[in-house]
Amino acid sequence: MKRIFNISSGELKPVMASFFYFFFLMSSYFILRPVRDEMGIQAGVENMQWLFTGTFITMLLIVPVFGYLMKRYQRQKLIPGIYIFFCFNILVFYVLFTFFTVPFVSIIFFIWLSVFNLFVISIFWSFNADIFSSDQAKRLYGPIAAGGSSGAIFGPVIASSLAGQIGVTNLLLISALLLGLATYFLKRLIKHSNARGERKLVTPIKGSIWEGLKLMIRSPYLKQIGLFVLLYTCISTFLYFEQAHIISEAFAVSEDRTSYFGFRDLLVNSSTLFLQFFITERFLRKAGIIFCLILVPVVASFGFLSLGISQSVIVLLIVQVLYRSLNFSIQRPSREVLFTKVSVREKYNTKNFIDTALYRGGDALSGWLFAGLSALASLQAISFLAIPLTVVWALSGLRSGRLFNSMTFNLDNNELQDVITKKSA
């Protein structure tokens, strides 16, 4: 691993702890994801914008609570506590699914898992941006992200092999156990940081959801990142809604749809794992941050062009595998590298606002936009209409990459704003 990923002796332990932290986190999530996707279709593809709106509203309620807790507690204690809280949530859903058959529980689970996914992964990357510098991130985020992709393969394998034997509901117990293991490796990462004499995880962070929004508005750099993420979520939501319509028409049986989602995830995560182990680090170091940020928007434009020509399941599968695997292996690590050059307050306040409230707000907005367009045009026409949006997305990635390359390292918040303002001018 040291030779392949250019890891120094002092970096190996934290990299391995972060790898397994992400591995068990994504294993826990991907055991539950196929169930969520199927519940979304069962709720009615014509009503999915309501599920996305419910997720957005839930995010708006949770993010201020997170900001309040960040001000009162040390991150090295708070973040493990958040994962333990989510473990308890999974156990509550286990009880509800075991003893109740109310359809409303499925809707709550869909919204909860959508919140859980973004929230815990945002915390994961924020925490890693605390541990690793910008130069380290370019080298190490590839193998670290591979831990998540390995878990995203392991989770569906566990789900598909055990669901028929122990039942879908009992998979929640395994998911809770895996999330507990993720918490254990998180604590190992904290222990390593403390052993190096770093005190940055001890100090509580002042701020709130509104503080994160204010910091983003004042910073051209953070505004570009926010715009980039907003365009990403709009494109992803359009693709998700097209998937729901195509799959609901192609497969009439629930088990067949769930099987497709599991097969799709297996292809995506296998491709992502290969890319993260052998391509991500080289792209980030040699091709550069700009190339990595605009690659997926370019692929998305060709993907929507293909769906505009043909709405077949095969075309959808190819587009999804290319789009999601390149997003997870190239774009997501490069996007996270952008946050290594911001202050701690921005890593946890602004980043959390962007990754949760802004992200799910984009989901809700684009969901209603898709619903309006689908009433006026065909799915193929909507695919063509999405292409100009991918061009704007690519331009936003270009601008974000240029700002990143022009910035200096390790500035506090006031110095950072001065530098960004001068560079933008």
Side-chain angles (χ1 to χ4, degrees), residues 314-385:
I314 296 298
V315 171
L316 173 67
L317 182 62
I318 293 173
V319 170
Q320 283 192 313
V321 170
L322 285 174
Y323 177 81
R324 294 181 60 198
S325 61
L326 287 172
N327 174 59
F328 294 145
S329 62
I330 305 297
Q331 181 189 269
R332 184 63 190 261
S334 62
R335 198 174 87 208
E336 298 303 332
V337 170
L338 297 177
F339 286 100
T340 60
K341 286 191 178 181
V342 302
S343 68
V344 174
R345 290 175 67 191
E346 290 163 334
K347 286 175 188 175
Y348 283 92
N349 288 316
T350 304
K351 185 180 186 307
N352 186 256
F353 171 78
I354 290 173
D355 286 349
T356 56
L358 183 64
Y359 189 107
R360 286 310 182 195
D363 273 348
L365 177 63
S366 51
W368 285 104
L369 178 60
F370 187 95
L373 289 174
S374 61
L376 302 173
S378 65
L379 286 178
Q380 290 176 298
I382 294 175
S383 297
F384 288 122
L385 291 173

Side-chain angles (χ1 to χ4, degrees), residues 54-329:
T55 302
F56 172 58
I57 294 172
T58 304
M59 277 292 189
L60 289 181
L61 296 175
I62 289 178
V63 172
V65 176
F66 176 72
Y68 172 78
L69 294 174
M70 290 293 289
K71 289 189 293 185
R72 292 182 58 87
Y73 300 100
Q74 300 175 2
R75 298 196 298 288
Q76 64 178 4
K77 296 181 179 179
L78 174 63
I79 295 176
I82 290 174
Y83 285 107
I84 293 172
F85 170 75
F86 278 118
C87 283
F88 176 75
N89 288 175
I90 296 174
L91 295 177
V92 170
F93 278 112
Y94 169 77
V95 173
L96 291 175
F97 283 128
T98 301
F99 297 103
F100 301 95
T101 57
V102 182
F104 191 67
V105 175
S106 299
I107 296 175
I108 295 175
F109 180 78
F110 182 98
I111 293 174
W112 175 86
L113 194 61
S114 300
V115 171
F116 166 84
N117 173 33
L118 281 187
F119 203 75
V120 297
I121 293 177
S122 175
I123 291 175
F124 170 83
W125 286 113
S126 294
F127 191 81
N128 275 272
D130 259 351
I131 300 296
F132 302 105
S133 68
S134 182
D135 285 336
Q136 287 178 311
K138 291 179 181 179
R139 291 185 292 108
L140 306 178
Y141 273 13
I144 288 174
S149 297
S150 302
I153 295 172
F154 180 71
V157 169
I158 291 295
S160 61
S161 61
L162 295 181
Q165 300 179 36
I166 65 175
V168 174
T169 301
N170 289 319
L171 291 176
L172 272 69
L173 296 177
I174 299 177
S175 177
L177 173 62
L178 294 175
L179 188 56
L181 290 172
T183 307
Y184 168 78
F185 282 100
L186 163 62
K187 290 183 176 180
R188 297 292 299 177
L189 194 56
I190 293 172
K191 183 178 180 180
H192 176 81
S193 177
N194 292 337
R196 291 188 301 180
E198 299 173 355
R199 303 291 296 169
K200 53 191 174 184
L201 299 178
V202 176
T203 307
I205 299 175
K206 295 181 180 180
S208 64
I209 183 175
W210 306 118
E211 176 73 11
L213 177 59
K214 290 176 183 177
L215 290 172
M216 185 183 74
I217 292 174
R218 289 203 300 259
S219 166
Y221 180 59
L222 293 172
K223 276 192 292 189
Q224 278 298 324
I225 297 176
L227 176 61
F228 184 81
V229 171
L230 182 63
L231 291 167
Y232 159 68
T233 187
C234 288
I235 293 298
S236 299
T237 301
F238 268 47
L239 185 58
Y240 186 86
F241 274 52
E242 290 215 9
Q243 167 197 267
H245 283 272
I246 293 171
I247 297 304
S248 65
E249 292 179 3
F251 302 107
V253 181
S254 173
E255 289 75 12
D256 292 339
R257 293 193 294 265
T258 304
S259 177
Y260 168 83
F261 292 138
F263 179 66
R264 173 208 63 191
D265 286 344
L266 181 61
L267 289 179
V268 168
N269 297 326
S270 300
S271 303
T272 301
L273 182 61
F274 173 82
L275 292 170
Q276 286 169 337
F277 266 123
F278 301 107
I279 303 297
T280 301
E281 184 264 343
R282 291 169 176 80
F283 271 27
L284 281 171
R285 280 197 304 112
K286 297 181 179 180
I289 195 77
I290 293 176
F291 174 83
C292 293
L293 289 173
I294 67 175
L295 176 61
V296 175
V298 172
V299 170
S301 64
F302 284 101
F304 278 111
L305 177 63
S306 301
L307 287 171
I309 297 172
S310 172
Q311 292 275 298
S312 70
V313 173
I314 296 298
V315 171
L316 173 67
L317 182 62
I318 293 173
V319 170
Q320 283 192 313
V321 170
L322 285 174
Y323 177 81
R324 294 181 60 198
S325 61
L326 287 172
N327 174 59
F328 294 145
S329 62

